[in-house]
Amino acid sequence: MLEKINNAANYLQNRLDFKPEVALILGSGLGVLAEEIENSIKINYEDVPGFPLSTVEGHVNRFVAGLLSGKKVLAMQGRFHYYEGYSMQEVTLPIRVMGEMGIDKLIITNAAGGVNRLFDPGDLMLIADHINLMGVNPLRGANLDKYGPRFPDMSSAYNKDLIELAETVAKEKGLLLRKGVYAAVSGPTYETPAEVRSARNSGADAVGMSTVPEVIVANHMGIDVLGISCITNMAAGILSQPLDHSEVVENAEQVKPEFKKLVKGVLHNI
Ligand code: HPA
């Protein structure tokens, strides 16, 4: 594992002529932000030694590195989802690699279903905390002592200073920004209405199929995380219509301007 991480990290660093400071993971429909990266260097996942390929519709599968809001970023356009069949080690390999490269801040984004009835599709939600309902943990197995402890603390999984910064940026720019708890399920099915009620009763505000594995590994390595969910739909059973992936992609499309403003504002002040 360590060799795999090192090989990929060395390959990526050799392709770049700078050291990235901030990692960005762009969720379903939110990859457009990568198009605003200046002097960009694009590296397909398939070219990185040891990397699997992402298969989900609505994702391109590459790193885009360069300058965004004056910061040196390494963005991921497309990620590896557990429901695609990848192991948790594969899902979180990019985090290990970016951490190995010396990146200590991660802005991670996703599309999520609204569980909180006060939310609306198109809302942006800062992730204050998460609930892992995936039934698996990426740190299961031998601990990589080089990176972090056997039993990592998760009491501030989402960095308080970054949350505060994002809230300040949203206020300054007049953006509506929700804050809540993200529950992660394995997918690929959307939830049943009973599962959504159960998630709500457990304190979840949004539900999705990603992010939590990456955030766990980032915490293990001491990487500071800012998490942003785009509420693309109300979770199952809240409205009377069935859920459909095209709705998710369309609504992610609509929120793009606010999403870009928020992330660029955060990067500017980070
Ligand atoms: N459930 C799970 N994942 C999702 C949803 C949802 O309703 N919307 C977007 N990703």
Side-chain angles (χ1 to χ4, degrees), residues 12 15-18 24 26 31-44 62-69 71-77:
L12 279 174
R15 297 255 334 240
L16 306 182
D17 48 9
F18 64 93
L24 262 175
L26 301 169
V32 280
L33 191 54
E35 282 156 26
E36 307 211 358
I37 296 176
E38 297 156 44
N39 304 326
S40 69
I41 299 168
K42 300 184 174 78
I43 304 167
N44 292 331
R62 62 185 181 194
F63 286 102
V64 183
L67 278 181
L68 189 60
S69 296
K71 293 291 170 343
K72 295 172 190 138
V73 301
L74 179 57
M76 288 182 70
Q77 239 180 341

Side-chain angles (χ1 to χ4, degrees), residues 126-233:
L126 278 184
I127 306 180
D129 203 349
H130 75 222
I131 303 174
N132 182 5
L133 299 176
M134 291 180 128
V136 280
N137 190 301
L139 299 181
R140 178 173 174 267
N143 183 51
L144 298 180
D145 296 329
K146 172 182 175 189
Y147 294 121
R150 171 73 292 189
F151 301 108
D153 175 42
M154 291 291 287
S155 46
S156 302
Y158 299 83
N159 183 271
K160 298 273 185 297
D161 293 339
L162 292 177
I163 289 177
E164 212 171 284
L165 172 59
E167 287 180 318
T168 306
V169 167
K171 205 178 265 176
E172 275 170 16
K173 298 194 181 292
L175 304 170
L176 173 68
L177 185 57
R178 312 285 196 173
K179 185 161 71 170
V181 172
Y182 175 88
V185 294
S186 69
T189 51
Y190 289 115
E191 303 67 43
T192 63
E195 286 165 347
V196 171
R197 282 195 299 275
S198 164
R200 185 183 308 116
N201 291 336
S202 312
D205 297 289
V207 61
M209 306 175 192
S210 69
T211 303
V212 161
E214 294 107 309
V215 170
I216 289 173
V217 169
N219 268 269
H220 182 247
M221 303 183 86
I223 297 173
D224 292 339
V225 176
L226 178 69
I228 305 169
S229 288
C230 166
I231 307 299
T232 50
N233 56 282

